[in-house]
Amino acid sequence: MEKFISESASDTVRIGKEFAKKLKAGDAVLYRGEMGAGKTYFTKGIAKAFGIAEEVTSPTFALINEYYGELNIFHFDLFRITGFDDLYGIGFFDYFDRNGVLCIEWSENVPDIAEYFDTAYEVDIRKIGEKRREIFIDIASPSNY
């Protein structure tokens, strides 16, 4: 497990950009963290690493935001998703073959989601101050979900 301390939103973006060097098409980034922890800022860093110039925003209301670059990013918000039936309903599994990385907020709402990916990373972002964050990154274990 890797641990980082972020001092600001721009620091979280930088850490996400550095982390993105590990990612390849078909990988998943499974986020944990309360609202406002910095999950979208981390995704902004991943987008920068893949040459995506478009502004990355939270998919809270859209459920899915798509960004196209050297490697595509499909940014999901599963806050209101309660299981696999809901995933099928939003076309989640259709994204597996679209040359991209799935960045998934509130992934813990779907038990065993990690088992659907060859490689899934768990990114746990915890508030430790107004702007400070602890960021833990590890290979996701299906048993954690």
Side-chain angles (χ1 to χ4, degrees):
M1 175 181 299
E2 296 178 88
K3 177 183 173 183
F4 302 88
I5 300 293
S6 171
E7 301 292 342
S8 65
S10 61
D11 210 14
T12 300
V13 171
R14 180 191 56 77
I15 294 166
K17 185 176 180 181
E18 186 64 27
F19 164 75
K21 294 176 184 175
K22 298 179 180 191
L23 297 172
K24 64 185 182 321
D27 287 351
V29 180
L30 308 175
Y31 291 109
R32 290 180 178 231
E34 63 183 284
M35 285 189 191
K39 300 177 291 285
T40 297
Y41 282 104
F42 197 91
T43 304
K44 287 180 184 201
I46 294 171
K48 284 182 182 263
F50 299 141
I52 297 169
E54 185 178 350
E55 179 65 24
V56 172
T57 59
S58 175
T60 300
F61 298 105
L63 298 180
I64 307 161
N65 288 337
E66 300 179 8
Y67 304 100
Y68 297 93
E70 297 161 21
L71 193 59
N72 302 325
I73 295 175
F74 305 111
H75 188 190
F76 289 84
D77 185 312
L78 302 185
F79 186 76
R80 295 177 300 232
I81 301 296
T82 59
F84 286 97
D85 287 343
D86 289 346
L87 289 180
Y88 282 107
I90 65 170
F92 178 82
F93 296 102
D94 297 337
Y95 286 87
F96 283 32
D97 298 321
R98 293 188 55 196
N99 187 41
V101 171
L102 280 70
C103 294
I104 306 168
E105 298 189 20
W106 305 103
S107 57
E108 65 270 24
N109 287 355
V110 180
D112 300 321
I113 195 168
E115 71 184 34
Y116 287 91
F117 301 94
D118 289 336
T119 305
Y121 296 92
E122 182 177 295
V123 176
D124 187 354
I125 304 176
R126 301 176 189 172
K127 293 180 181 181
I128 56 173
E130 187 175 325
K131 296 187 181 208
R132 285 186 102 215
R133 305 290 188 261
E134 284 181 319
I135 301 172
F136 298 91
I137 302 173
D138 203 358
I139 295 290
S141 167
S143 63
N144 289 342
Y145 289 84

